[in-house]
Amino acid sequence: MKTNNLFLSVALTTLFLFSGCQKKAENLVQFVNPLIGTGLSSGPNAVKHSQGSEAWVQDIPAVSTPFGMTQWTPQTRDTEAKCISPYYFGGKGIQGFRGSHWLGGSCTQDYGSFTIMPETGYLKTFATDRMCDYNKESEVSTPAYYSCLLMQQNLIFVEITGTARSGFFRFSYIENTDVKIVITPNSDEGQGYIKVDPEKNEIYGYNPVHRIYQGWGQPAGFSGYFVVRFEKPMDNFGCYVQMEDHKKETEISGKPDIGAYAAFQVKKDDVIQAKVGTSFTSIEAARANLDAEIPHWDFKKTRAETEQIWNETLNTIQLKGGKKEDYTNFYTALYHSMLYPRTFSDVDGSYPSFDGNKSIQKIEKGHVYYDDFSLWDTFRAQLPLVSLIAPDKYEDMMKSLVLKAEQGGWLPIFPMWNSYTSAMVGDHANTALGDAYLKGFDINIDKAYPYMRKNALEVSEGEDFKNGKGRRGMKSYLQYGYIPLEDSIKEAFHKNEQTSRTLEYSMTDFVLSKVAEKYGKTEDAQILAKHAKNYQLVFDNETKSMRGRHIDGTWSSDYNPTARASYLTEGTPMQHLWFVPQDIPGLFDLIGDKKQVHDKLDELFSTDEYWHANEPCHHIPYLYNFLGDYAATQKTVKNIMASEYNNFDGGIPGNDDSGQMSAWYAFSAMGFYPVSPGSGEYQVSSPVFNEIKLNLNPKYYPGGKFTITQSDPDTYKTFSKVELNGTEIPFVLKHEDIRKGGKLKFSN
């Protein structure tokens, strides 16, 4: 099939202008490539260690505003099944364009989604039938805009932009033809609903949300609602069930593979525009969100406004010097770090109550309720990064965690699709909340603390435990100080993993001991500080590793330092040894003298047993600092950045996990990293740019600006000296130093 040269040249001109060829520093969107992370990880470390779905980055080319409710993405896979992303780079073709609630970079599920597809020729209802090739050279992907040329019977140029809760589509045609815009609620359970309203020129519906992990398959108590509004009156319309066309029928529900379409007669150079509102509370709310966010039919205006929002947010961190490719890596990492948690409340503050009781709550005016917290991943770097670049949103995120506890009775472990899940190990809503409170963010501690304490010191039982409330294995943890191998943690998606749970509870209890101390709960602080040392109970002195332990104190018999073990979460004893971020000196004392510790760290990296694609390893490269070997930290960190991150679709090592892999890169490229939650400290490496300027919100950071500089043209070299405001310091930076503002300078 021949393409129209003029039409293709327009597409390629758009590609040139918006895919990274501009050089104006203030236009930072130009450096973001959302196609990074949409393929199979290409870094050698990720390739060696990752298995199955771990090997895919799982990001999507999401069009939205930061932390938006709905992301707009091309669709290459049509299911909402676990671990299947809506889009994979190099897929066979495009099946449509999805209003998605996929947690980017994860192995969870999409939910409450729907798909729009422009068609020419006969009606094609199944995703595999309507899938068509697209011109790869015409594909443009930015945070605010996506476009491509569909190679159908008649060419269609598709453009997408969007806001926090709404999307804007523009379909351009170059020939006279009959077209249909097909809308499909993506209900794998066959429970969707869709209706055509020709008087309003709308198609609207919903896709009920179902849980996985705890309560697998059960309704989550809400739906993904959508309203699609067309600029031009429909010439024809209908609904369908599977392959069967129900012409003139206006409503269908509760059957597999249903959808609706609006038909139009178009002439050469005609454009059909459609706007879409979304909500988690009702169709009426989706319509209200659309009216509030896109009250006009000016596509370019919405695109420009969304680009401005992204540029303003990205300009929180401004760079000078360094390698050109690092700008793309850095700002793409920043983009990926600012997509989740997602906005869950409507423009009027309404949102579905947490834990599926079907009531509608309303957050106070001027605030946003957030959900989809991949906390086992994001407490490490992604949320601390958000606390710097979007502190107002970060504060609302923390308040959202407290609201969930008030509505569900327990502080959630891993809140997804507005439900308890206990999908991963640990108790990191507590970790994140505690870190925020200790940093001085506005947390209503009188409301929060009882729930924080409840998770740490009480045992969840019965239906609460079955439904994912409370820590797993807590009865054992409180009785023995560790979770023995006999406690198999049956009511959890991740069963067993007793030693990892012990390590993570121990770390969180350190954070909570500091919270209790600040809040004046002295007795609690003492108990929790003791629990923070529980990591010692799963340290085997003979093998110098963290190991599975029985009730009688004996160790597991299946020990292999480089093999994954059932008592650990996605890793080996050699990797998990180092997960004591709250007490690195204490861990080192258990291992041996300074040389023994250094040798053991060296062994992890020299044998390539370090696994960067798994989050419990993320702080390990910075542990050389605690031995005074600052050069080793810098070399190790920069080697990981250079080998595991790149500008291609596989350029992030393993699942990005809600932007955690990306946030690790962003922090490391700036030259510091938050190793220990609750400590108020960052371990320092060195930057890969000559200047990094943090333009911080003065409401939360009174100093306003914090600048990091180094003058060597080789930004990947190591430095022996770091100064804060002219005074030499060890390679550690306090959060309070950033808050006050100042200058960090590297030299030799």
Side-chain angles (χ1 to χ4, degrees), residues 205-232:
Y206 58 78
N207 177 2
V209 178
H210 292 77
R211 300 171 65 173
I212 63 173
Y213 308 133
Q214 259 57 35
W216 199 301
Q218 295 177 7
F222 68 99
S223 297
Y225 298 93
F226 58 89
V227 173
V228 182
R229 184 180 300 158
F230 297 97
E231 183 181 24
K232 295 180 179 180

Side-chain angles (χ1 to χ4, degrees), residues 22 44 51 70 94 112 114 120 145 164 181 202 237 265 315 352 367 369 374 426 435 497 508 571 573 650 680 718 725:
Q22 295 174 329
Q51 302 175 2
T70 303
I94 288 179
F114 60 97
T120 60
Y145 176 81
I181 312 296
E202 292 179 346
F237 57 86
Q265 290 281 337
N315 268 280
H367 295 272
Y369 173 78
S374 188
D435 191 54
E497 303 181 9
T508 298
T718 61
N725 298 326

Side-chain angles (χ1 to χ4, degrees), residues 109 111 191 206-212 215 217-225 279-282 344 351-361 416-420:
Q109 66 179 49
Y111 65 90
Q191 297 178 6
Y206 58 78
N207 177 2
V209 178
H210 292 77
R211 300 171 65 173
I212 63 173
Q218 295 177 7
F222 68 99
S223 297
Y225 298 93
S279 172
F280 293 121
T281 60
S282 69
F344 225 73
Y351 64 93
S353 182
F354 188 69
D355 195 27
N357 67 19
K358 298 187 179 179
S359 65
I360 301 299
Q361 304 289 331
M416 300 289 297
W417 36 96
N418 213 33
S419 303
Y420 288 97

Side-chain angles (χ1 to χ4, degrees), residues 588-607:
F588 286 2
D589 287 343
L590 292 177
I591 295 172
D593 60 28
K594 185 175 179 180
K595 183 179 185 306
Q596 289 172 310
V597 175
H598 203 293
D599 288 347
K600 207 159 184 65
L601 271 174
D602 287 347
E603 181 187 13
L604 181 71
F605 291 102
S606 64
T607 60

Side-chain angles (χ1 to χ4, degrees), residues 543 545 558-564 567 571-575 603 609:
T543 59
S545 67
D558 60 344
Y559 175 74
N560 181 337
T562 61
R564 297 194 188 190
Y567 53 80
T572 69
M574 200 168 180
Q575 295 156 0
E603 181 187 13
E609 287 300 323

Side-chain angles (χ1 to χ4, degrees), residues 646-660:
N646 58 58
N647 294 171
F648 304 104
D649 60 286
I652 298 172
N655 295 169
D656 195 12
D657 287 324
S658 195
Q660 167 59 27

